[in-house]
Each structure stands twice: as structure tokens, then as C-alpha cells.
Amino acid sequence: MNPDALRGHMDALLLSVLEREPLHGYAIIEALQERSGGALNVPTGTVYPALRRLERIGYLASEWATVGGRRRRTYRLTDSGRKQLEGERSAWAEFASVIGGVLQPGVRQSG
């Protein structure tokens, strides 16, 4: 998948992956890949800065944990992050509907 296609959607993807359970950075990357059927291979240089930014604005909280014998920073969704994820999902549904209406052949909008 073209990395440019993810621009503007990374926050929603990260929040969604963390909705189920707290995860460390590499596990988040693996979850994105798994949930996308292998289509998303997001580099660490994209994920980690986004995680730190989301934590700074209060959508994520983190703590150090030992995972598989290694000390890792584990991220979890905050209440504010859950609300943001709801908003991101609504915005995505509207965006997909509008773009789908334009890209689908033979579909006409009334108006």
C-alpha cells in the first residue's frame, strides 16, 4: 500500500489497534499488519513519533513493562482517546461514503 495513502489516517489506525488492549510499539506495528491482512507495513520511524504525539495530547498513556523478558513502553487508550477514536470513525465513514460516491461508476448524487 502506498504510504502516502495513510497520511491523515495514522492516528485513527493507532487508536483503533489500542482499543482492545495495551500494546508496546512493535506489537502495535504487528497488529496493524495483521489486521490489514499484510497490506500495512508501517515503519517504526512513523509509528513511534505518532505514539509520542498522541500521548502528549492525552489520547494515550504509557508505562514501562517487561514483555518477553525485555523492558518496553506499553501504550493504552485513555478516555479522551476513546472519544477521539469515535470521532475518527465517524469522519472516516463520511469520507469513504463521499469518495465512494465519486469513484463508483454510474452512481449519481441528487441535488
Side-chain angles (χ1 to χ4, degrees), residues 10 14 24-30 32 41-54 60 75:
M10 184 56 61
L14 294 172
H24 60 82
Y26 186 70
I28 292 168
I29 293 169
E30 288 180 325
L32 286 169
N41 189 12
V42 184
T44 58
T46 299
V47 172
Y48 286 103
L51 290 170
R52 286 191 294 275
R53 184 177 46 75
L54 291 170
L60 299 178
Y75 296 88

Side-chain angles (χ1 to χ4, degrees), residues 43-76:
T44 58
T46 299
V47 172
Y48 286 103
L51 290 170
R52 286 191 294 275
R53 184 177 46 75
L54 291 170
E55 184 175 20
R56 263 193 322 272
I57 59 179
Y59 297 158
L60 299 178
S62 71
E63 60 186 25
W64 287 100
T66 302
V67 180
R70 292 184 63 189
R71 192 168 142 92
R72 298 180 184 258
R73 184 167 291 280
T74 302
Y75 296 88
R76 68 174 172 78

Side-chain angles (χ1 to χ4, degrees), residues 2 11 14 25 31 33 38 95 104 106 110:
N2 180 345
D11 290 2
L14 294 172
Q33 208 166 22
F95 175 81
Q104 294 298 322
S110 60

Side-chain angles (χ1 to χ4, degrees), residues 4-16:
D4 288 337
L6 295 179
R7 192 165 293 143
H9 303 291
M10 184 56 61
D11 290 2
L13 294 171
L14 294 172
L15 295 174
S16 181

Side-chain angles (χ1 to χ4, degrees), residues 12 15-17 19 35 82 84-94:
L15 295 174
S16 181
V17 165
E19 180 180 32
R35 289 175 63 175
R82 288 185 193 286
Q84 179 64 22
L85 178 56
E86 289 175 26
E88 294 278 354
R89 285 184 169 142
S90 292
W92 173 255
E94 182 180 349

